[in-house]
Amino acid sequence: MQDTIQSDLSKNLGRVKSNTMADSVEVKLRQYLKKMSFKPGDALPKETDLAEALGVSRNVVREALSRLRMLGMIETRKRKGMVLASPDILQAFERVLDPLIIDDTTLRDVFELRLVLEMGLADLLYKRMTDADIDELEDIANSEINKDKSFLVKNEIAFHGKLYEMTGNSTLKRFQIMLLPVFAYVITLVDKPTSGKIDHRGLVEILRNGTKEDFKKGMYDHLKPHFDRMK
Amino acid sequence: MQDTIQSDLSKNLGRVKSNTMADSVEVKLRQYLKKMSFKPGDALPKETDLAEALGVSRNVVREALSRLRMLGMIETRKRKGMVLASPDILQAFERVLDPLIIDDTTLRDVFELRLVLEMGLADLLYKRMTDADIDELEDIANSEINKDKSFLVKNEIAFHGKLYEMTGNSTLKRFQIMLLPVFAYVITLVDKPTSGKIDHRGLVEILRNGTKEDFKKGMYDHLKPHFDRMK
DNA sequence: CTTGTACTATATGTACTACAAATATACAAA
DNA sequence: TTTGTATATTTGTAGTACATATAGTACAAG
């Protein structure tokens, strides 16, 4: 009992964070960029000036800038200095969304997040999809007749990927691609992939002739094995 | 014409990315961490050793480590060295998801992403929500009778926030919090906030007595002004 | 057997200097 | 007007030095 209290301590209390200069400078710089309301492409002060203004070594400034650069917030060019850039919001995400390094709880959360997205696609889909889209989707669905398992897995990705693409929302599409490894990983953890009552061709049929509500129902049936396994 | 070709060039070709040492080292380190399959809490080599092994200066190593530290992948402690940590997948996201610095297209995409999430919540909700949850939600909804606009905005956030909370998915909940500024910003951009046919109390009523399908329909009606404004 | 104190070794944090590398800018040449 | 060339300037990298915090240890006290 004493042991459990002790082992829980580190988890419950966490560790005190000792902020480094680089941390502070990073925050300062971000505030500075916002306050000055720079537009993408605008030139930024050079490293030495920043270091002097902030009263820290160029080393510290570079560590902070290195972080912003990773996030795509700034770009640096020799001689020219730094310029502001429009950060790619998913770039940072990509680096940490690895099934092997995130904890189990988050992994499960992300898995569910994917299910939520999939269930919520319908409204966007029915607003934006074209007949050509459905044709293409049908081709994908039809191509999986009498194929081996590895092909099915690839096709599963292609099918759902096409669904996201049909929403016309490229951020959403990229998000889905990033979620794929998590999905694949969780699938292998629990059991062999099972498909629900409705398969891909069923979904296509609904998209072509059914209502938005039909599709939501169909998608739920398609994903039902995952929902059943939850909690 | 010559001008357009020239101006298009930079857009179509993009800029050549000159990878710095810090970039390479960051990738190397990430690969290293994965390959060695460290568990959170495991000790990592010290900076000087890494620098020597990689054949770069400690400066470069520190820039790379600074990035990983920002992402929460590692933690450093004096004297002890570095240890692996479970990265907070949303921490990085938080820093770039600022309406003021991301481009308009992405902003719209993220706005839609929020709508998709909201529409997809139903299945998780109906699986996990308790009567106590609905009671609390009802309190929030009822508290907005005869209140001024600023109160309504806060309550809007509280209500939808509670919905996310009821899914029992803390990552989802945090995600929603991060999306809030984007949502608020886009709202102010287009026009004054309008609520759909169904208000919060209507949604509560459905949760208490209606089916999952009723709720999906109700949520769509609630968000309909946003959907109508799309595209 | 727990708690308090002091000490020490050591890894990170910060500063500074020096130079390499790239390239925006200006200017000359065709 | 375009193309080549030189130069100045800024980032990128290396290396040294020292400050700072702290894990680990030992030992005393309760």
Side-chain angles (χ1 to χ4, degrees), chain B:
Chain B
M1 190 56 189
Q2 182 69 8
D3 263 354
T4 56
I5 289 179
Q6 207 157 36
S7 67
D8 282 348
L9 259 184
S10 63
K11 185 155 55 69
N12 293 330
L13 280 178
R15 183 164 282 274
V16 289
K17 49 169 186 185
S18 63
N19 272 348
T20 66
M21 289 286 183
D23 293 329
S24 312
V25 170
E26 186 207 330
V27 173
K28 279 254 183 197
L29 285 178
R30 211 198 316 278
Q31 288 173 346
Y32 172 73
L33 295 182
K34 281 180 64 174
K35 187 160 61 184
M36 304 298 269
S37 63
F38 285 119
K39 292 178 297 294
D42 284 359
L44 270 49
K46 59 188 180 187
E47 295 178 352
T48 49
D49 289 349
L50 288 174
E52 194 181 4
L54 292 164
V56 295
S57 77
R58 192 176 151 226
N59 241 336
V60 170
V61 172
R62 277 190 63 83
E63 280 194 26
L65 289 174
S66 180
R67 299 179 180 184
L68 300 187
R69 206 160 36 232
M70 180 187 63
L71 297 175
M73 292 179 66
I74 61 171
E75 287 174 7
T76 55
R77 297 214 260 295
K78 289 191 173 167
R79 152 114 192 181
K80 178 93 172 256
M82 292 165 294
V83 297
L84 196 67
S86 267
D88 181 349
I89 62 166
L90 295 184
Q91 198 170 348
F93 215 75
E94 225 159 2
R95 305 188 183 225
V96 288
L97 200 58
D98 186 318
L100 295 176
I101 59 174
I102 61 180
D103 65 285
D104 291 347
T105 305
T106 306
L107 207 58
R108 205 174 53 236
D109 282 354
V110 172
F111 183 81
E112 291 177 7
L113 173 61
R114 196 263 206 183
L115 293 179
V116 169
L117 284 177
E118 210 98 351
M119 289 305 303
L121 285 184
D123 300 284
L124 231 56
L125 271 179
Y126 270 79
K127 197 170 181 69
R128 298 225 174 104
M129 68 180 173
T130 66
D131 286 339
D133 280 332
I134 302 181
D135 289 342
E136 203 176 322
L137 199 64
E138 189 164 34
D139 288 343
I140 298 175
N142 283 332
S143 71
E144 58 191 35
I145 306 173
N146 298 329
K147 290 288 164 57
D148 60 60
K149 190 178 158 191
S150 75
F151 182 88
L152 288 182
V153 171
K154 274 201 312 190
N155 225 59
E156 167 80 13
I157 294 175
F159 184 87
H160 287 265
K162 176 63 185 171
L163 276 182
Y164 280 85
E165 191 185 312
M166 287 162 63
T167 64
N169 187 320
S170 57
T171 301
L172 196 56
K173 167 75 171 136
R174 283 190 54 208
F175 201 63
Q176 178 250 352
I177 293 176
M178 288 169 39
L179 259 43
L180 278 178
V182 175
F183 206 69
Y185 181 77
V186 174
I187 293 286
T188 61
L189 272 192
V190 283
D191 52 11
K192 62 185 180 302
T194 53
S195 63
K197 200 166 59 182
I198 303 267
D199 64 0
H200 289 162
R201 274 176 296 165
L203 288 176
V204 172
E205 174 58 26
I206 295 175
L207 279 176
R208 205 179 287 286
N209 298 314
T211 67
K212 198 162 64 177
E213 282 68 32
D214 292 335
F215 183 77
K216 287 178 183 175
K217 190 80 180 59
M219 182 58 93
Y220 181 76
D221 287 335
H222 181 61
L223 299 173
K224 192 160 187 305
H226 301 310
F227 279 108
D228 287 342
R229 199 166 44 230
M230 270 172 36
K231 186 162 208 177

Side-chain angles (χ1 to χ4, degrees), chain A residues 46 61 99 186 211:
Chain A
K46 59 187 181 189
V61 172
V186 174
T211 68

Side-chain angles (χ1 to χ4, degrees), chain A residues 24 44 50 62-63 89 133 142 148 152 197-198 223:
Chain A
S24 311
L44 270 51
L50 288 174
R62 277 189 63 82
E63 279 194 27
I89 62 165
D133 280 332
N142 282 334
D148 60 60
L152 288 181
K197 202 166 55 182
I198 303 266
L223 299 173

Side-chain angles (χ1 to χ4, degrees), chain A:
Chain A
M1 188 56 187
Q2 183 68 7
D3 263 354
T4 56
I5 290 179
Q6 207 159 35
S7 67
D8 282 348
L9 257 183
S10 64
K11 183 157 56 69
N12 293 330
L13 280 177
R15 185 162 283 273
V16 291
K17 51 169 185 188
S18 63
N19 271 349
T20 66
M21 289 285 180
D23 293 329
S24 311
V25 170
E26 187 207 329
V27 174
K28 280 254 185 198
L29 284 178
R30 211 199 315 280
Q31 288 172 344
Y32 172 74
L33 294 183
K34 281 180 66 174
K35 187 160 62 186
M36 304 299 267
S37 63
F38 286 119
K39 292 179 296 296
D42 283 359
L44 270 51
K46 59 187 181 189
E47 294 178 354
T48 50
D49 289 349
L50 288 174
E52 194 180 5
L54 292 163
V56 296
S57 76
R58 193 176 150 225
N59 238 337
V60 170
V61 172
R62 277 189 63 82
E63 279 194 27
L65 289 174
S66 180
R67 298 179 180 184
L68 300 186
R69 203 160 40 230
M70 181 188 63
L71 297 175
M73 293 178 65
I74 61 171
E75 287 173 7
T76 54
R77 294 212 258 295
K78 290 189 173 169
R79 153 109 198 192
K80 178 95 175 252
M82 292 165 294
V83 297
L84 198 66
S86 268
D88 180 348
I89 62 165
L90 295 185
Q91 198 169 348
F93 216 77
E94 226 159 0
R95 304 188 185 227
V96 288
L97 199 59
D98 185 316
L100 294 176
I101 58 175
I102 62 180
D103 66 284
D104 291 346
T105 305
T106 307
L107 206 57
R108 206 173 51 236
D109 282 355
V110 172
F111 183 82
E112 291 177 8
L113 173 61
R114 195 262 205 182
L115 292 179
V116 170
L117 284 178
E118 210 98 353
M119 291 303 304
L121 284 183
D123 300 286
L124 231 57
L125 271 179
Y126 270 79
K127 199 170 180 68
R128 298 224 175 106
M129 67 180 175
T130 65
D131 286 339
D133 280 332
I134 302 182
D135 290 342
E136 202 175 323
L137 200 64
E138 188 163 34
D139 288 342
I140 298 175
N142 282 334
S143 71
E144 58 192 34
I145 307 174
N146 297 328
K147 289 288 164 58
D148 60 60
K149 192 178 157 191
S150 76
F151 182 89
L152 288 181
V153 171
K154 276 200 311 191
N155 224 60
E156 167 81 14
I157 295 174
F159 185 87
H160 288 265
K162 177 62 184 171
L163 276 181
Y164 281 84
E165 192 185 312
M166 287 162 63
T167 63
N169 186 318
S170 57
T171 302
L172 197 56
K173 167 73 172 139
R174 283 190 54 207
F175 202 63
Q176 177 250 352
I177 292 177
M178 288 169 39
L179 260 42
L180 278 177
V182 176
F183 207 70
Y185 181 75
V186 174
I187 293 287
T188 60
L189 274 190
V190 284
D191 52 11
K192 60 184 180 304
T194 52
S195 63
K197 202 166 55 182
I198 303 266
D199 63 1
H200 291 162
R201 274 176 295 165
L203 288 176
V204 172
E205 175 57 26
I206 295 176
L207 279 176
R208 201 175 297 278
N209 299 315
T211 68
K212 197 162 64 178
E213 284 68 33
D214 292 336
F215 183 77
K216 287 178 183 175
K217 190 79 180 59
M219 183 58 95
Y220 181 76
D221 286 335
H222 181 60
L223 299 173
K224 192 158 188 303
H226 301 311
F227 278 109
D228 287 342
R229 199 167 41 231
M230 267 172 39
K231 187 166 207 176

